[in-house]
Amino acid sequence: MSSKLAGARAPGVRIGTTLATALALALLAGCGKSEADAGAPAATAAAADGSINPENWPQVEWPLQADAEVEQKIDALMASMTVEEKVGQIIQGDIASITPDDVRKYRLGSILAGGSSDPGGKYNARPEEWLKLADAFWEASMDTSGGGKAIPVIWGIDAMHGQSNVVGATLFPHNVGLGATRNVELQRRIGEITAIETRTTGMEWTFAPTVAVPQDVRWGRAYEGYSENPELVAQFARAMVEGLQGKAGAPDFLDDRHVMVSVKHFLGDGGTSKGRDQGDNLASEAELRDIHAAGYVTAINAGAQAVMASFNSYHGTKLHGHKPLLTDVLKGRFNFNGFVVGDWNGHGQVKGCSNDNCPATFAAGLDMAMAPDSWKGMYESTLAAVKDGILPMERLDDAVRRILRVKFLMGLFDKPKPSQRALGGKFELLGAAEHREVARQAVRESLVLLKNQGGLLPLSPKQRILVAGDGADNMAKQAGGWTLTWQGSGTTRADFPNADTIWDGLQRAVKAAGGSAELAVDGKYKAKPDVAVVVFGEEPYAEFQGDIANLLYKPGNDADLELIKRLKADGIPVVAVFLTGRPLWMNREINAADAFVVAWLPGSEGAGVADVLLRKPDGSVNHDFKGKLSFSWPAQAAEGNVRSPDYKALFPFGHGLTYADKGDLDPLPEDSGIDGLHAAPGVYFANAMLAPGLAMRVENAQNHTAQITTVPAGLHDDSIRVTAVDHERQEDSRRLAWSGTTPATVSVYAEPAVDLSRETNGDLLLVLTLRPDQVPAAGNVDLSAGQGRPVALREALAKLPAGQWTTLGVPLKCLAHAGADVSALDVLARLHSDAATTLSISRVAIGAVSEAEHIVDCPRGE
């Protein structure tokens, strides 16, 4: 990084071995490499067997001195606590599955609001509703009228790029963009603002920062990482922890203007095979330590109060059950004195465990189980394990002590309810002008310029400027996942009152300078412009929903490329602004455009884009490009792992043009390295096509079958017919017609079988975009998957608007409860009817709750 850091060694890292010395210097000083060199893959370490040798890991200095007074308070409280109360402290439930009365009865120590959990089940609940619920849970935890100790509950939430769960909050760029700024002090300020806005709605704890070091951007969480480079991640990790919590030892540390953190996900989530979320990390111990642990060294040295265990495995062992890493390394060598919290039912993936029962996770070192919808079962089974001696009292006491210590350090025992604390209810701070200006600065500094042919940029705002593309006036696309909803989808423009789209910013600046701006998403302008700005990119996604098989951009959909080419064909220079959570293979789009700008996922302040693209009215440069790639940009789409010998970078780590640079670019090769058809992940049928590896078959009660490859088609007895029908384009859908003369099914088969266990744990749906043309008044219409029992659909279909296209979601948990083995589904969907029924289907895909207008009610016993 900067010359000031070269050769420097951060305070607080004690070195015990020569190897650890090299590690500390590599993490904190870049080993004297240039920025471009620092991002290059190191030589692959020798094959490893997954063993962990704690003595080879660095010792980290915990920055907080033991407080005798606090420890005495903990001793006194624990001496009076029952086993039931102690177990309650180590269980965390989600607000969608737990009530204040539950906390009052079971004395749970913590609650969370998951990505799709909101007060009243409303994704756009008002700030007042969040704060009212925070008060209710606090009051329940402090109510001793029915017995029990008054121990304040702590509320955790994914405030990952601002308090992004609440309408009106400031939304900062996701970490992938912040890493491109290289501005560590700006990151610290972002942490401070996030803490302030989070406190206004009553929460004391954010599940951030993510300090993964993504090595393969096929991973759906890659945008949560600052960089592929461990040194950069280590610097940003420290700054974000200090911004959110305050500096350890300072008077304002963990006060009412700060929140505690959960540094996540420990360990190796950014290095799983093929970038598969919740997958297996097969790196050597040295790589795990030197690359993936980098952010934890600095975060723990900064006083991070919680670390979140990861979903992934290390050489086949799930981290939620990995004692050598959770206990021997994290709590031992790293001297971590906070507590370890789990991820969403992550304990249930440990061998021999279920979501409801897992003493092994606590034995391995977990201190608090995130049991969102399984909290009651976990409470009961853990209590039984302690009473039976399966889980030693010593381990329980250690976990409880760690949790209580944090609560005392935050002063929660002496605080009033959340609404009466320093910032409670000060909703004017949500999206405050000062906060938005910091976010706007972050947008400006995160933009990376890859091409500027003929010096097209910066643009004169006095021109006639066309703004096109489906990302131009689209807050959801601009903000990405973890924004009001888990996947960032299903929102409206009205949900972002304190925000500017990119179009808003451009229009305002152009108008102020005397130019003219026209918005035409499809590029069909009213008057020919002097220049076009085309804003496009990835649709919002989170976690495994964003996993991709390769680095192709929107495989099978060239609409954005066609838009750029059409404008170019009209003689209009084009500036391409790409919204994305990761580098993707974009050679064709880069070739087609005159200028290519990577805007990442900028958040609420789209006007920051206009600040850089447009000159001042007097013609001078307003803001230059400062962003540098924090991830190398791929030359081909086939390989996404930067450590693979097959990976080739088109633009290296640290690349990024300024206006002083010659921005001309020779035509790039347009061979992606990928052959055959490809579909977007989780989409099984769309645009009249099945995803590769899938087949559609029809079958009747007499076991007569036929595979559907072309339409019209069906069975000889006309029990079922499949024909083409129009939805958004000509013959892009299929009309399924059952005669009712004999039962029949239409099924989508997968070869090989598909594993949807992650999606099922994540409360996702099988979403059908359909039109109910004829729904029978009696008989059976149902859906099943794998070898599971059928789930009734007739009543749900009958409630849909007849003859109108809509979306119907069937929870994957419903299919699992019906007996489908979601870890190996050979039949992804089987529609069956024994009565005259006609349904038109245009799309079948896995989606979030926000993507379905109607959801089938499936009782657990279905």
Side-chain angles (χ1 to χ4, degrees), residues 274-293:
K274 298 183 180 179
R276 179 175 170 81
D277 190 51
Q278 303 184 21
D280 199 5
N281 186 315
L282 300 175
S284 69
E285 181 184 19
E287 290 171 327
L288 187 70
R289 179 197 64 203
D290 296 357
I291 297 171
H292 300 288

Side-chain angles (χ1 to χ4, degrees), residues 18-99:
T18 302
L19 183 59
T21 303
L23 167 63
L25 293 175
L27 293 183
L28 304 170
C31 294
K33 293 181 181 180
S34 69
E35 185 169 80
D37 290 336
T44 303
D49 59 4
S51 61
I52 296 295
N53 302 283
E55 65 275 11
N56 292 335
W57 293 66
Q59 289 183 285
V60 182
E61 182 178 342
W62 182 247
L64 301 172
Q65 297 297 317
D67 188 321
E69 183 179 352
V70 167
E71 296 304 316
Q72 289 172 4
K73 290 179 179 179
I74 298 173
D75 289 340
L77 178 55
M78 288 185 64
S80 69
M81 292 172 69
T82 65
V83 175
E84 287 79 3
E85 289 170 332
K86 290 179 179 179
V87 170
Q89 285 299 302
I90 68 173
I91 305 295
Q92 182 184 58
D94 182 79
I95 64 170
S97 303
I98 197 169
T99 67

Side-chain angles (χ1 to χ4, degrees), residues 53-325:
N53 302 283
E55 65 275 11
N56 292 335
W57 293 66
Q59 289 183 285
V60 182
E61 182 178 342
W62 182 247
L64 301 172
Q65 297 297 317
D67 188 321
E69 183 179 352
V70 167
E71 296 304 316
Q72 289 172 4
K73 290 179 179 179
I74 298 173
D75 289 340
L77 178 55
M78 288 185 64
S80 69
M81 292 172 69
T82 65
V83 175
E84 287 79 3
E85 289 170 332
K86 290 179 179 179
V87 170
Q89 285 299 302
I90 68 173
I91 305 295
Q92 182 184 58
D94 182 79
I95 64 170
S97 303
I98 197 169
T99 67
D101 282 340
D102 292 325
V103 169
R104 184 176 287 108
K105 178 179 179 180
Y106 292 93
R107 318 307 296 175
L108 299 195
S110 178
I111 57 167
L112 80 144
S116 295
S117 302
D118 309 275
K122 298 181 294 184
Y123 78 89
N124 55 357
R126 301 188 312 277
E128 293 85 353
E129 294 174 273
W130 283 98
L131 186 57
K132 182 179 179 180
L133 190 58
D135 277 352
F137 276 111
W138 180 88
E139 289 167 347
S141 70
M142 302 301 283
D143 183 359
T144 59
S145 60
K149 309 299 181 301
I151 303 176
V153 70
I154 49 175
W155 184 334
I157 195 165
D158 289 284
M160 292 173 54
H161 62 128
Q163 173 51 311
S164 51
N165 308 272
V166 177
V167 170
T170 307
L171 301 175
F172 297 96
H174 275 288
N175 287 355
V176 65
L178 295 178
T181 69
R182 301 300 200 272
N183 192 333
V184 175
E185 289 308 310
L186 177 62
Q187 175 68 80
R188 193 185 314 276
R189 180 65 180 135
I190 288 170
E192 293 170 354
I193 293 170
T194 299
I196 287 170
E197 296 200 12
T198 300
R199 280 289 197 162
T200 68
T201 49
M203 298 89 192
E204 310 94 347
W205 180 11
T206 175
F207 300 138
T210 300
V211 299
V213 188
Q215 301 297 285
D216 193 327
V217 295
R218 290 176 292 187
W219 184 36
R221 304 192 78 153
Y223 65 81
E224 296 182 40
Y226 295 109
S227 177
E228 70 188 34
N229 174 256
E231 177 201 350
L232 189 58
V233 173
Q235 293 176 350
F236 273 77
R238 178 186 292 277
M240 189 58 165
V241 168
E242 291 180 344
L244 289 165
Q245 293 191 160
K247 286 196 174 185
D252 64 352
F253 181 64
L254 292 176
D255 69 2
D256 279 357
R257 297 179 66 84
H258 293 90
V259 295
M260 63 171 285
V261 305
S262 284
V263 187
K264 63 183 189 183
H265 305 86
F266 192 85
L267 183 63
D269 51 344
T272 58
S273 179
K274 298 183 180 179
R276 179 175 170 81
D277 190 51
Q278 303 184 21
D280 199 5
N281 186 315
L282 300 175
S284 69
E285 181 184 19
E287 290 171 327
L288 187 70
R289 179 197 64 203
D290 296 357
I291 297 171
H292 300 288
Y296 295 93
V297 170
T298 52
I300 290 168
N301 182 236
Q305 293 297 297
V307 167
M308 183 179 287
S310 186
F311 276 120
N312 69 273
S313 303
Y314 181 60
H315 286 265
T317 300
K318 283 289 181 178
L319 262 296
H320 277 69
H322 204 300
K323 187 174 182 180
L325 285 170

Side-chain angles (χ1 to χ4, degrees), residues 745-810:
T745 63
V746 56
S747 306
V748 175
Y749 285 80
E751 177 60 44
V754 174
D755 180 359
L756 293 182
S757 53
R758 301 174 304 164
E759 289 81 351
T760 303
N761 185 40
D763 290 329
L764 293 177
L765 317 172
L766 183 68
V767 180
L768 310 175
T769 303
L770 54 76
R771 185 181 67 195
D773 299 318
Q774 180 185 1
V775 179
N780 297 301
V781 181
D782 47 56
L783 174 78
S784 62
Q787 305 307 308
R789 300 181 302 278
V791 173
L793 290 187
R794 188 181 60 80
E795 290 187 7
L797 290 170
K799 294 176 183 178
L800 300 180
Q804 296 182 29
W805 288 98
T806 188
T807 49
L808 179 66
V810 180

Side-chain angles (χ1 to χ4, degrees), residues 359-377:
T361 194
F362 297 113
L366 199 77
D367 299 308
M368 180 183 288
M370 185 185 288
D373 54 358
S374 58
W375 61 267
K376 188 174 182 181

Side-chain angles (χ1 to χ4, degrees), residues 440 443 500-502 504-506 508 604-612:
R440 185 166 173 171
V443 174
D500 285 324
T501 64
I502 293 173
D504 291 333
L506 288 168
R508 190 162 55 240
S604 60
E605 305 313 308
V609 175
D611 290 343
V612 180

Side-chain angles (χ1 to χ4, degrees), residues 487-500:
Q487 296 293 321
S489 55
T491 59
T492 69
R493 182 65 180 87
D495 297 326
F496 302 93
N498 300 324
D500 285 324

